[in-house]
Amino acid sequence: MTTKTEAQRLRKPRRSRYRWLIYAALAAVYIWAFTGIPFTGIKETAWQITKSITTGIFSPDWDFVYLPDGEDLLRGLLDTLAISVLGTFISTVICIPFAFWAAANMSQYKTVSGTGKIILSFIRTFPEIVMAILFIKAVGPGSFAGALALGLHSVGMLGKLFADEIESIDGGPVEALIATGA
């Protein structure tokens, strides 16, 4: 019992030395990084810019919220909501076959579900912005390109989620249905 507490006592100073070594290395990296920034002083317009930012934060221009004849905040919010709902609907419909393909309990061979998981991982690797640029080139700029990009990217995310849920399905009711001839 005493050897264990002695070993713990000997280990504590070593940990604190490593911790201080890490802190010193981190401080050295920060000092090295900030010495490379050229500081030429504060610009003459800094006070005007700071005052404008503060004024804009505490008294915003509400004219942009609703414009009867142009693009405004409310239409932009509605477009964003429509893009997200349509993109989620598209991905939900498309990802169902991929989810069953990637679920390990839906096939006898691991290579089948493995290829499904690889496909879903491959789809997830492309960021939404890259897909949006590709769809803008294909269908033109607008909300439709955004909905397609969000929908296709979400296929990988929702497909993995659905595949995990399919793998956690209890097999008892399925076996009972098969036993009755269904």
Side-chain angles (χ1 to χ4, degrees):
M1 187 110 181
T2 57
T3 58
K4 194 172 195 181
T5 57
E6 288 175 20
Q8 287 175 348
R9 269 190 295 189
L10 290 175
R11 217 175 308 165
K12 273 194 174 185
R14 181 185 290 174
R15 258 192 212 160
S16 66
R17 273 186 275 160
Y18 286 133
R19 186 175 294 147
W20 283 109
L21 184 65
I22 290 172
Y23 289 153
L26 188 62
V29 167
Y30 271 111
I31 291 169
W32 174 73
F34 281 113
T35 55
I37 299 174
F39 182 70
T40 59
I42 297 174
K43 302 281 184 190
E44 298 151 3
T45 58
W47 177 247
Q48 291 174 336
I49 293 172
T50 306
K51 187 177 173 185
S52 297
I53 290 172
T54 307
T55 305
I57 287 175
F58 291 114
S59 60
D61 183 16
W62 293 101
D63 293 337
F64 184 67
V65 174
Y66 177 70
L67 297 173
D69 57 342
E71 293 185 10
D72 57 359
L73 179 66
L74 295 177
R75 285 190 185 96
L77 288 172
L78 186 63
D79 284 348
T80 304
L81 181 66
I83 288 169
S84 66
V85 168
L86 184 62
T88 304
F89 180 75
I90 289 170
S91 66
T92 303
V93 171
I94 294 175
C95 79
I96 291 173
F98 287 103
F100 279 102
W101 182 14
N105 62 344
M106 290 292 134
S107 63
Q108 296 175 353
Y109 306 106
K110 285 195 172 236
T111 56
V112 173
S113 65
T115 56
K117 289 180 190 221
I118 288 172
I119 295 292
L120 289 176
S121 294
F122 180 74
I123 292 171
R124 280 196 318 265
T125 58
F126 294 104
E128 294 97 340
I129 190 73
V130 172
M131 288 190 182
I133 291 170
L134 292 173
F135 281 117
I136 286 172
K137 184 68 176 164
V139 299
S143 300
F144 186 59
L148 288 176
L150 186 63
L152 189 61
H153 177 75
S154 295
V155 165
M157 299 293 182
L158 280 176
K160 182 175 180 346
L161 177 71
F162 287 179
D164 290 342
E165 289 301 316
I166 291 169
E167 287 175 354
S168 68
I169 291 175
D170 184 22
V174 175
E175 289 178 14
L177 286 171
I178 292 172
T180 60

